[in-house]
Amino acid sequence: MTSDRWIVTVLGLLLVTFIIWFFWLKREKGTRAATTSGGYQEAMILVKGGYTPDVIVVEHGKPVRLNFRREEVAVCSETVLFPDFGKSQLLPTGKTVAIEFLPDKPGEYEFSCQMGMLRGKLIVE
Amino acid sequence: MTLERLNVPVKTVPSAERIRSIEAALAARDGVARTVVNPSLGSVVIDYDPARTRVGALVEAIRDLGLTPGVARVRLAVKGMTCASCVTAVERALIETPGVVSATVNPTSAQADIVYEPRVVEFEGLQRAIEASGYEAGEVPAASDEAIDGQERERNQEHRLLMHKFWFAAAISLPVMIFSYADLIPGLREWMPMGSAERRVVWALLGVFTLPVMLWSGSQFYTGMWAALKHRSANMHTLIASGITAAFLYSVVAVAFPQWFPKQALAEVFWDVSVVVVALVVLGMALEVKAKGRTSEAIKKLIRLQAKTARVLREDQELDVPVEEVLVDEEVLVRPGEKIPVDGVVIKGSSSVDESMITGESIPVEKHQGNEVIGATLNKTGSFTFRATKVGKDTALANIIRIVQDAQGSKAPIQRVVDQVAGYFVPTVMILAVLAFVAWYDVGPDPRIVYATIVLVTTLIIACPCALGLATPTSLTVGIGKAAESGVLIRSGDALQTAKRLKAIVLDKTGTITQGKPALTDVVPSASFREDEVLILAASLERSSEHPLAEAIVKGAGERGVALTEAEGFTAIPGHGVSGRVDGRDVMLGNATLMKARGVDISSLSADWEHLAEAGKTPMYLACDGTAAGLVAVADIVKPDSMSGIEALRKMGLEVIMLTGDNRRTAEAIGRELGIDRVLSEVLPQDKAHEVQKLQLEGKIVAMVGDGINDAPALAQANVGMAIGTGTDVAIEASDVTLITGSLKGVVTAMEISRATMRNVYQNLFGAFIYNTLGIPLAMGLLYPYFGLLLSPLIAAAAMAFSSVTVITNANRLRYYQPQGGRV
C-alpha cells in the first residue's frame, strides 16, 4: 500500500474510534432535581435540539415536577413523552410546561420526543 | 352605611350544626352585618359593608371554613397595555370590582386571568371594569382552541420558512448545475475547458453562491447538529450537515489548490451536491410539516366541537354566558338547532339529540326528563332545560380530548424496539460512511479520491432515521383519532397493539350483550282469559309497585297500547309477589310458592312456565279471583345489534365467550341463539376476573368487555379491557378501551381500527427498514464490484427527502379508513 493509503486508513479508523467514543461511551452525570417548599422535586429542562439537562436524578416516592421550556419551532420536539409514566405533553414554543408524576420505584426511565430523536433519562434513586 | 348583598354558591351543602357555626364565624368578621347559609339553594348570603370588607376576602373566608365557593375563572385579552404600571392599573380595577376574587394580568400575553363569582358580576361587568380603567378588553379564544391554533400557526410559519429556503436553494441550484456539468454542454465546454482560468473563476463564483444556500437554507442542519453534539448525540441533521460539508470542502480544495491533486481531472467540484441536497431535503421537511399537521386532524375536530356560549337561568332570567362560566347545578336552556354546552340531566321538556359527534351513533337519541345529555352534542327538534352536572374539565368531551391526546402520545411496544435501534442508528451510519470512504480510497478504481468522496457523501445522505422514527407514532396518532371519531376511545398504543393479537373475547352478558334492564317479553293467557286482559290486570296491579320487574311490565303494557286502570289495596309480599284489587277482582302476581300458598291451581300453566324459564326469562303467575289467569314474563332483552356484532367478531377469527351469572341451561340457550362459541355460566360477580385468568392460562390473549364498575377487576385482568360507556362517564380507569356507544358494534370498530392501524405501522416500519437496509449498502457501493452500480448523491437526497414524507402520507391514509362497524 502506498503511504497516502496508509494515512487515510489510519485516519479513518481513528475517526471511527472517535465516533464510538463520542456518541456511545459517554458517562452520564445527571442533574439532581431541587426539592421545593411544596414538596416537589423540580427541574427546569430546556428543549432546543435536545434536552438540557438530559439526565435528571430524583428520589423515589416524592412527586416530581419537570418544567419543560421549548425554544425552537422545529416540529420534532413538539411533544415530550414519558412512556413509563403514561405521560405525553405538547410543548408550545416559548412556554414553560410542567409535567408532574410520582415515581414510586427506583430505576432508569427514558423520556424522548415522539420520534425518539431527542432523548433524556430520569434516574430514580 | 349602605350594605351590599353577596350571594356565593357553594358546592357541598354543610350539615345543620355546621351551618350555625359557619354563620357565626362569618358574622363575626369585620364589615359583615348578617350571614345566612341557605342549604336548599346551596348558597351563602352575606350582607356586608363594602367600605370595610371586600368580596374576595369574604370568599376566602368561606373557603377557609371548609366550603368550596362556586367561582368561575375566565381569561380576557387586554389591549393597549404598554407598560408595567398598566398591569397594576388593570389588576386594581378588576380586584375592586365586586365579585372578583382574584385577578392577575400577564403583560407578555396581554391577558387577564380572573377568578370571580358569576352570580355577582357578569362577564360584561368584567369587560366594563377593564374598559373603565382605560384599556380595551376582548375575548380570549378558549384555552384548547388557543393551543390548537397556536400549534397550527407554528406549523404554518415553519412551513413557510422552509418553502422560502427551498425556493432560494432551488434558484441557486439551476446555474450551479449548468456550470458544474459544463463539459456536457456544447459551447460552455469550449469556453471553459478543463484547466482554463475561466473555469477556475466560474467555479470559484459558484462556490460563493453555494455558501448562502448552505448557511441559510441549510442552517437548521447545522444548528440541529450542534445542539445534538452538545448532548453527544446525533440525528438526521448531523448526517445531512456532515454530508454537505464534506462535498463543499472537497470542492473548495479543488478550486483553491488544484495543484494538490495528482491529476487535473480530480480537481472536480461538488457544488451541485451541496445545493441540490439542501434543496431536496428542505422540501421534504416542508412537506413533512404539512403532512404531520394533518395527522392530528381528529383531535382538532374534537376540540372545535366545544360550544362557545350557554344560555343559563339565573334569578329567573335567561342569560347568555361563555361556556366556561356555567356552574354545576345551574339550569341551562337549549333551543332547537343549538349545541348542548355542558353535560347534564334534562329536567324539563324533551327533544331528539344528535350525539354522533361523541358516540359515533348516527341515529338521533330521544331525550326526556331524567335523561342524560352530553355537552357538544346537537339538539335537533325540541327545547328543553337541563341541570348541569359536569362542566369545564370534567365534561365528557374534555375527558375524551384528554384521553385521546394521552393515547396519541403513548408508545406501542413495538416503538420501544425502534427506539433502541434509533439510538445507535446515526453513529452507525457515520461509521459505515467512513469505512466506505477508506475502502474506496484504498482499493477502489481511479479517480479514487473522487469515488471515495461521493460514496461518503451519498451514504451520509441516504440514511433516513426520520422514516424509522416516524413510522409508529404517526400511524398511532391517526388511528387513535379515527377510533375516537367512531366513539371508541383507545387509551394507549399498548392496547392497540395487543388488540390486534387477541384470540378470545369475553362478553359480560348483562349490559353488554343485553340491555341490562328487564323488559316485558311474553304474555301467556290461560284458557278462559284473553291476552290483553292478563296484561291489563298485571300492569294495573304493578303500577303501584316500584320493583324493576313491575316497571318493565307497566312499560311493556304502555308500549302495547293497553289502557290501565287503578288498583286498590295493593300489598307487596316480599320474595313472592304482589296482590290487590283491580276492577273489583282479586288479583295476585307472583311465583309458584305464592300461588300454592293461596290455593291457586297452576298446573295448566306449568309447561309454559318451564319453557319460558328455559329461555332465560323470568315468568310470573297471574291469578284472578282464585284461578290461574296466565303468565307474564320479563327478560333482559338482547340489544338489537348484539347478534350482528358477535357474528362480526367471529368472522374476525375471535373465539367469542359469554360470561354470566345465569344458570347453565338458560345461559346456553341464549348462547346458542346468538351463535356464541363458549358460555361460562353461573359465574359469581367476584369470580369474573378469575374466569378471565383461567382463559389466559389456556394460552389465550383475552379481551374482556363489560361495564366499568362491577367488571373493573375482570377488565384489569384481561389483556385488553373494554368498558361499555355509560353516558357521560368516559374516563373509566380500569379499561384500555372505552366504548362510548355502549354497543357491541363499538367492540368491532375497536378491533377493526386496531388491526388497520397496526397494519399501517408494520407497513411503515417495513418500508423504512427496507429503505435503509437497501439504500445504505447501495450508497456505500457494495454493488459496484458486481454490477458497476453506484448511486448519485442527488438521487440519495431525493430518496431520503421523500421516504419520511411517504411514511406520513401512508399514515394519513388511515384517515379515510371506514370501519365496517359490524356490518356483515
Side-chain angles (χ1 to χ4, degrees):
Chain A
M1 278 220 294
T2 51
S3 60
D4 61 315
R5 286 191 168 95
W6 276 114
I7 293 168
V8 165
T9 311
V10 169
L11 283 180
L13 291 178
L14 278 178
L15 194 54
V16 168
T17 319
F18 174 76
I19 292 172
I20 293 173
W21 169 79
F22 188 80
F23 293 112
W24 291 333
L25 301 179
K26 56 180 171 190
R27 68 248 159 264
E28 284 156 349
K29 50 174 211 292
T31 309
R32 184 165 286 278
T35 307
T36 59
S37 56
Y40 276 93
Q41 310 183 74
E42 287 208 33
M44 186 85 188
I45 297 168
L46 175 71
V47 185
K48 197 178 178 189
Y51 300 112
T52 316
D54 58 354
V55 181
I56 318 274
V57 186
V58 296
E59 280 171 47
H60 75 280
K62 283 190 197 160
V64 172
R65 183 186 291 144
L66 299 177
N67 299 307
F68 282 85
R69 192 177 172 85
R70 175 165 160 252
E71 291 191 340
E72 60 181 356
V73 283
V75 186
C76 266
S77 55
E78 196 172 64
T79 319
V80 64
L81 304 179
F82 284 80
D84 300 303
F85 298 97
K87 293 267 176 195
S88 75
Q89 185 68 52
L90 272 183
L91 306 173
T93 303
K95 288 211 178 93
T96 305
V97 182
I99 297 182
E100 295 175 11
F101 50 87
L102 182 75
D104 41 13
K105 267 191 229 118
E108 292 194 351
Y109 305 97
E110 287 221 325
F111 58 94
S112 65
C113 70
Q114 212 186 20
M115 280 169 45
M117 285 286 108
L118 277 54
R119 289 148 172 278
K121 197 188 277 177
L122 184 78
I123 299 174
V124 180
E125 293 179 338
Chain B
M1 178 177 88
T2 47
L3 289 182
E4 281 189 18
R5 175 163 289 188
L6 172 68
N7 189 335
V8 183
V10 286
K11 288 219 171 104
T12 42
V13 177
S15 63
E17 308 86 75
R18 289 267 295 126
I19 287 177
R20 261 195 305 281
S21 67
I22 289 167
E23 285 177 349
L26 285 172
R29 287 184 69 90
D30 184 43
V32 176
R34 202 172 70 96
T35 309
V36 178
V37 177
N38 187 329
S40 59
L41 288 177
S43 66
V44 180
V45 181
I46 306 173
D47 289 336
Y48 69 103
D49 179 1
R52 284 161 67 196
T53 186
R54 284 192 317 102
V55 173
L58 294 174
V59 172
E60 277 314 303
I62 293 169
R63 206 190 299 275
D64 289 343
L65 289 166
L67 298 175
T68 315
V71 290
R73 186 177 201 139
V74 74
R75 281 199 293 163
L76 286 174
V78 184
K79 276 178 234 153
M81 290 195 299
T82 47
C83 53
S85 63
C86 307
V87 174
T88 342
V90 176
E91 279 183 358
R92 191 173 312 130
L94 283 168
I95 289 170
E96 283 171 359
T97 309
V100 173
V101 179
S102 76
T104 15
V105 176
N106 181 339
T108 37
S109 63
Q111 284 181 7
D113 187 354
I114 311 162
V115 179
Y116 68 107
E117 308 289 317
R119 297 196 181 184
V120 179
V121 58
E122 298 302 336
F123 194 66
E124 288 82 37
L126 299 173
Q127 283 186 316
R128 271 198 305 278
I130 295 176
E131 275 152 21
S133 65
Y135 304 93
E136 259 181 84
E139 268 182 59
V140 175
S144 41
D145 265 12
E146 187 189 23
I148 283 294
D149 290 343
Q151 208 188 337
E152 197 123 313
R153 210 168 35 241
E154 261 175 48
R155 278 188 201 285
N156 286 338
Q157 265 171 14
E158 172 93 353
H159 180 254
R160 217 173 14 248
L161 179 64
L162 286 170
M163 284 313 284
H164 287 160
K165 287 179 169 180
F166 162 71
W167 284 117
F168 179 69
I172 300 284
S173 69
L174 196 70
V176 168
M177 286 291 269
I178 292 173
F179 288 104
S180 295
Y181 294 98
D183 290 343
L184 304 178
I185 301 165
L188 269 186
R189 184 166 42 201
E190 288 73 36
W191 178 66
M192 43 179 282
M194 193 181 287
S196 66
E198 282 89 352
R199 171 169 286 215
R200 219 176 140 191
V201 170
V202 168
W203 277 2
L205 272 178
L206 290 186
V208 173
F209 280 129
T210 306
L211 203 59
V213 172
M214 306 225 321
L215 294 186
W216 183 63
S217 294
S219 57
Q220 66 277 0
F221 303 130
Y222 291 99
T223 51
M225 172 171 80
W226 180 241
L229 283 182
K230 279 198 292 192
H231 294 96
R232 297 182 68 164
S233 67
N235 53 29
M236 177 197 97
H237 298 310
T238 318
L239 294 176
I240 301 290
S242 33
I244 57 177
T245 310
F248 185 80
L249 289 180
Y250 184 96
S251 314
V252 168
V253 173
V255 173
F257 311 102
Q259 65 276 19
W260 286 9
F261 293 86
K263 269 184 271 166
Q264 243 176 7
L266 294 182
E268 251 196 273
V269 288
F270 295 117
W271 308 124
D272 57 321
V273 173
S274 303
V275 179
V276 174
V277 167
V278 169
L280 286 172
V281 177
V282 166
L283 178 63
M285 284 169 74
L287 296 176
E288 192 182 312
V289 167
K290 268 274 137 123
K292 228 183 149 197
R294 279 194 289 273
T295 58
S296 50
E297 204 83 339
I299 195 101
K300 282 183 212 155
K301 259 194 235 166
L302 281 173
I303 288 172
R304 296 205 170 111
L305 277 180
Q306 180 65 56
K308 296 279 178 291
T309 59
R311 187 173 302 113
V312 297
L313 211 57
R314 280 184 193 155
E315 281 148 16
D316 295 324
Q317 279 198 316
E318 286 183 23
L319 269 177
D320 278 334
V321 299
V323 71
E324 296 84 11
E325 277 189 34
V326 180
L327 299 175
V328 168
D329 282 343
E330 246 181 339
E331 288 180 18
V332 185
L333 276 70
V334 191
R335 299 211 182 109
E338 286 183 343
K339 255 185 200 170
I340 297 170
V342 295
D343 297 352
V345 178
V346 177
I347 50 175
K348 213 164 65 195
S350 64
S351 180
S352 79
V353 174
D354 176 9
E355 295 188 336
S356 59
M357 57 293 280
I358 301 285
T359 63
E361 181 61 66
S362 53
I363 305 160
V365 187
E366 292 299 318
K367 298 285 180 185
H368 305 282
Q369 192 183 336
N371 287 149
E372 233 178 15
V373 287
I374 309 175
T377 58
L378 193 65
N379 179 28
K380 302 284 266 195
T381 52
S383 296
F384 63 89
T385 307
F386 73 94
R387 192 167 47 75
T389 52
K390 286 174 187 162
V391 299
K393 282 199 162 71
D394 303 323
T395 60
L397 180 66
N399 274 311
I400 290 171
I401 292 170
R402 187 180 52 79
I403 290 171
V404 172
Q405 264 174 342
D406 278 354
Q408 286 184 333
S410 73
K411 287 188 175 185
I414 189 156
Q415 174 71 5
R416 286 175 227 268
V417 182
V418 178
D419 282 351
Q420 291 299 316
V421 177
Y424 294 98
F425 186 83
V426 175
T428 307
V429 170
M430 291 167 76
I431 290 170
L432 289 176
V434 171
L435 292 179
F437 180 90
V438 170
W440 277 86
Y441 190 86
D442 286 352
V443 296
D446 280 323
R448 292 174 296 140
I449 177 78
V450 173
Y451 277 120
T453 307
I454 288 178
V455 163
L456 171 82
V457 173
T458 313
T459 309
L460 286 174
I461 282 168
I462 202 162
C464 189
C466 272
L468 212 55
L470 284 171
T472 323
T474 45
S475 301
L476 280 192
T477 304
V478 181
I480 288 171
K482 185 83 211 172
E485 277 176 22
S486 320
V488 176
L489 300 181
I490 299 172
R491 302 194 73 146
S492 67
D494 220 327
L496 201 107
Q497 190 175 346
T498 318
K500 198 203 156 268
R501 288 161 44 224
L502 287 177
K503 290 277 171 294
I505 186 156
V506 181
L507 308 174
D508 183 53
K509 189 193 124 198
T510 312
T512 301
I513 298 177
T514 65
Q515 301 278 15
K517 279 187 303 210
L520 179 71
T521 54
D522 299 81
V523 179
V524 184
S526 59
S528 49
F529 285 82
R530 278 175 295 112
E531 190 177 318
D532 59 339
E533 203 180 350
V534 171
L535 187 56
I536 290 169
L537 290 172
S540 300
L541 179 67
E542 287 283 35
R543 220 160 30 154
S544 313
S545 167
E546 275 165 8
H547 198 272
L549 294 184
E551 248 174 66
I553 294 171
V554 175
K555 196 161 167 253
E559 276 163 12
R560 292 177 194 205
V562 299
L564 303 186
T565 56
E566 285 299 319
E568 299 152 30
F570 172 84
T571 333
I573 306 142
H576 295 289
V578 292
S579 71
R581 287 181 69 79
V582 178
D583 284 340
R585 298 157 95 175
D586 273 321
V587 184
M588 274 194 301
L589 185 69
N591 57 16
T593 325
L594 176 72
M595 296 298 147
K596 277 180 193 141
R598 302 289 171 97
V600 180
D601 177 23
I602 48 169
S603 54
S604 62
L605 292 168
S606 54
D608 284 319
W609 192 94
E610 280 290 324
H611 186 68
L612 289 169
E614 218 166 278
K617 294 167 183 169
T618 310
M620 286 166 278
Y621 290 103
L622 181 81
C624 183
D625 292 329
T627 57
L631 288 171
V632 178
V634 297
D636 186 4
I637 56 168
V638 171
K639 287 181 193 172
D641 47 14
S642 288
M643 192 116 151
S644 62
I646 288 166
E647 202 185 331
L649 289 172
R650 292 191 60 203
K651 280 214 173 131
M652 287 180 166
L654 290 169
E655 183 182 2
V656 181
I657 301 162
M658 182 175 86
L659 195 64
T660 173
D662 291 350
N663 67 57
R664 219 180 97 209
R665 262 169 55 191
T666 313
E668 276 173 2
I670 296 170
R672 261 195 307 279
E673 195 188 314
L674 292 173
I676 282 167
D677 296 302
R678 192 156 147 193
V679 174
L680 301 173
S681 56
E682 295 168 33
V683 179
L684 297 173
Q686 62 269 29
D687 290 339
K688 284 180 182 172
H690 185 60
E691 291 293 332
V692 171
Q693 195 180 15
K694 279 204 289 198
L695 289 166
Q696 286 170 328
L697 289 176
E698 291 174 21
K700 291 182 172 126
I701 297 169
V702 182
M704 165 85 198
V705 189
D707 74 56
I709 306 136
N710 304 316
D711 302 333
L715 292 181
Q717 173 66 41
N719 300 78
V720 179
M722 300 192 188
I724 292 269
T726 48
T728 59
D729 187 18
V730 294
I732 302 168
E733 287 307 324
S735 69
D736 302 309
V737 177
T738 303
L739 311 165
I740 309 176
T741 37
S743 114
L744 279 185
K745 227 156 75 175
V747 179
V748 181
T749 308
M751 294 295 302
E752 284 175 342
I753 290 181
S754 303
R755 288 185 178 194
T757 307
M758 285 317 290
R759 195 160 52 231
N760 201 274
V761 167
Y762 289 131
Q763 282 164 359
N764 276 348
L765 281 178
F766 182 77
F769 182 73
I770 287 292
Y771 167 80
N772 280 304
T773 44
L774 290 185
I776 294 172
L778 193 63
M780 288 170 70
L782 285 190
L783 293 185
Y784 185 83
Y786 312 104
F787 305 103
L789 201 61
L790 197 60
L791 216 55
S792 148
L794 304 187
I795 308 259
M800 185 271 171
F802 294 101
S803 64
S804 52
V805 177
T806 312
V807 161
I808 302 176
T809 309
N810 186 42
N812 269 327
R813 238 169 23 92
L814 268 180
R815 279 170 50 211
Y816 306 105
Y817 174 75
Q818 280 304 320
Q820 296 303 304
R823 278 192 291 276
V824 280

